[in-house]
Amino acid sequence: MSENTSTATRAAVQELLRRIGEGAPERIAALYAARVDWLLDWPDSEHGRAATPWIRRRSTRTDVAAHYGQLGAYHVPGEAATRIERILVDGRDAVVLGEIRQTAKPTGRAYRARFALHLTVEDGLVTRHHVYEDSLAVAKAFAGR
């Protein structure tokens, strides 16, 4: 892969992160390909899934917009922060390392979750979105009392 490919990938990832920070689901989804290889790391059991409906398989740009819409709906606005520690780029692939801080709207519980986000960018659009996060922290924040 050329240095130009890595530069284009980095630019696309930085724009994606900027739009995620803005929180407009349709604008975020516009950076994804029509078909997406989407994965959120989550235990195989269904425990906690009803409380966290945004955590599921996705495959289309429309699904991506729904994900970001649900994510916003289930968290307290203004009580979120993301710290990006590193963006590693190799050709079309990028890995974003960091930590999210959110507050679960249904329970009022704040949580922190470390994450690694593996993205692949082709022709300026994200074609792979795999997230590996501290799913236990998320599940505890949304669990009933």
Side-chain angles (χ1 to χ4, degrees):
M1 291 286 156
S2 73
E3 189 174 322
N4 289 340
T5 301
S6 291
T7 300
T9 297
R10 182 175 295 280
V13 169
Q14 288 173 328
E15 178 62 15
L16 175 65
L17 295 173
R18 189 182 70 70
R19 289 189 189 188
I20 290 171
E22 290 175 352
E26 294 298 328
R27 283 193 30 81
I28 298 166
L31 293 175
Y32 286 80
R35 301 288 302 167
V36 180
D37 175 10
W38 181 281
L39 173 73
L40 268 74
D41 185 36
W42 195 258
D44 288 336
S45 76
E46 292 299 313
H47 177 71
R49 292 278 177 95
T52 56
W54 68 91
I55 299 177
R56 64 176 183 83
R57 289 292 256 172
R58 308 284 178 164
S59 61
T60 67
R61 186 178 292 138
T62 301
D63 288 341
V64 171
H67 166 82
Y68 287 105
Q70 286 179 320
L71 187 63
Y74 280 80
H75 290 90
V76 177
E79 293 188 23
T82 301
R83 181 171 48 105
I84 303 298
E85 296 168 356
R86 189 117 37 255
I87 300 173
L88 308 168
V89 178
D90 182 18
R92 298 179 315 177
D93 290 300
V95 175
V96 180
L97 302 172
E99 179 183 70
I100 58 170
R101 287 172 295 227
Q102 295 268 23
T103 300
K105 192 182 280 184
T107 65
R109 290 190 200 116
Y111 68 93
R112 290 178 166 206
R114 302 210 33 86
F115 71 88
L117 170 60
H118 179 193
L119 300 165
T120 300
V121 177
E122 299 176 46
D123 298 322
L125 297 174
V126 176
T127 59
R128 175 190 298 144
H129 177 113
H130 289 190
V131 178
Y132 306 94
E133 68 181 357
D134 182 356
S135 55
L136 182 58
V138 178
K140 284 181 175 180
F142 283 88
R145 296 199 183 259

